[in-house]
Amino acid sequence: MSYGFHAAAMIIVTLTVVLAILLFRKSNSRLSILIGLISWVALSAYFMIEAIVIRATTEPYSFLNQPMSDLGVTACGTDTYVLASYMICSPHHWLMNWTFFLTGLFILIGAVLLYPLWPKVRSIKTASIFIGIFGVSYGISGIVPADIDFYWHTLTALPGMVVQIPAMILISIATHKKMPRIFWWTIICTIVTTAALLSLFLQPVFTGVPGGLLQRILYASVYIWLTGTAIGLWSRRIREAK
């Protein structure tokens, strides 16, 4: 199927989900909370899907050095986008792009539907908005692959490299008394993702630093944090219900 078909399907899914979120978000029902929790826990599936896509590549792919976006490039060859002077061929690019898209969408769903579970402080609202922006930023990278429009692919991805850090800091401040386990979990993941981002910025100086690995750590630390946080919120909700 063509790129246009997949992009149109993703946009339709987005509109449908946004409409559903608007209907669910004010209900504070068990179902909406459950959907939010499952959305964040499901993020852990990303790693398995990426491994499948990498295994299917028909040209050598460097997990350590190549960016994740290369797996979503829709054409085979060299110079498929501005920075790719090397050979790329990812037959399962459609699967990777849908994974980028759905990962971002699940992050957004959780940010909205899990809002009632957090302490009632203003910083949580700001943090939830930042997490939502992170999800939108990441999801767009699946709708617009690097070889289709490198400018928009890159520009829309930039917020998703940064906004998770203030979101995590704000959540750690809001949870340090009422949710100590989530507080410490957030602190650890904040340190990891911040270190990865700083290392990426220093890559032009330290050229031997593996950029692909750093990018994966930057994003994976957020997926793992959201998955662990969802499990923590879930277990806390169960304890409170007893």
Side-chain angles (χ1 to χ4, degrees):
M1 294 182 184
S2 67
Y3 157 76
F5 172 84
H6 289 290
M10 290 177 192
I11 291 170
I12 292 171
V13 170
T14 300
L15 294 174
T16 304
V17 169
V18 168
L19 178 61
I21 288 175
L22 292 174
L23 294 173
F24 272 114
R25 72 184 180 90
K26 292 184 178 180
S27 66
N28 194 19
S29 66
R30 290 184 179 181
L31 178 59
S32 65
I33 296 296
L34 181 61
I35 292 171
L37 291 169
I38 291 173
S39 294
W40 278 6
V41 171
L43 297 174
S44 56
Y46 173 88
F47 306 105
M48 179 180 66
I49 296 172
E50 186 189 59
I52 293 171
V53 175
I54 291 174
R55 188 176 178 83
T57 57
T58 55
E59 293 293 335
Y61 178 85
S62 174
F63 178 86
L64 296 178
N65 297 305
Q66 286 183 245
M68 297 152 65
S69 295
D70 283 1
L71 296 172
V73 168
T74 63
C76 292
T78 57
D79 300 312
T80 52
Y81 63 89
V82 176
L83 302 178
S85 57
Y86 45 87
M87 191 71 180
I88 296 175
C89 195
S90 179
H92 287 5
H93 57 81
W94 61 272
L95 176 58
M96 196 71 250
N97 287 324
W98 270 99
T99 302
F100 290 150
F101 167 71
L102 290 175
T103 297
L105 195 60
F106 288 166
I107 291 170
L108 175 62
I109 291 170
V112 176
L113 298 185
L114 295 182
Y115 179 75
L117 297 186
W118 294 110
K120 302 300 184 286
V121 294
R122 184 176 297 178
S123 59
I124 286 294
K125 185 174 183 178
T126 304
S128 297
I129 291 171
F130 281 150
I131 294 171
I133 292 172
F134 177 85
V136 171
S137 172
Y138 195 85
I140 291 175
S141 64
I143 299 175
V144 186
D147 63 312
I148 298 298
D149 194 316
F150 180 73
Y151 174 80
W152 284 108
H153 177 87
T154 305
L155 187 65
T156 55
L158 289 176
M161 298 181 69
V162 180
V163 291
Q164 77 277 18
I165 295 173
M168 295 164 89
I169 292 172
L170 289 171
I171 284 178
S172 65
I173 293 171
T175 58
H176 76 284
K177 289 183 179 179
K178 294 184 177 181
M179 301 177 176
R181 291 180 182 177
I182 291 179
F183 164 75
W184 284 111
W185 172 242
T186 302
I187 289 293
I188 292 169
C189 293
T190 303
I191 292 171
V192 174
T193 193
T194 303
L197 181 61
L198 292 175
S199 299
L200 276 172
F201 285 151
L202 293 172
Q203 222 186 343
V205 179
F206 302 102
T207 54
V209 178
L213 179 61
L214 290 175
Q215 186 193 39
R216 283 177 168 80
I217 294 173
L218 176 68
Y219 288 116
S221 59
V222 184
Y223 306 157
I224 294 169
W225 169 63
L226 291 173
T227 297
T229 298
I231 294 170
L233 291 171
W234 202 330
S235 61
R236 190 172 188 271
R237 186 172 173 82
I238 291 172
R239 288 195 303 271
E240 290 177 348
K242 290 181 178 180

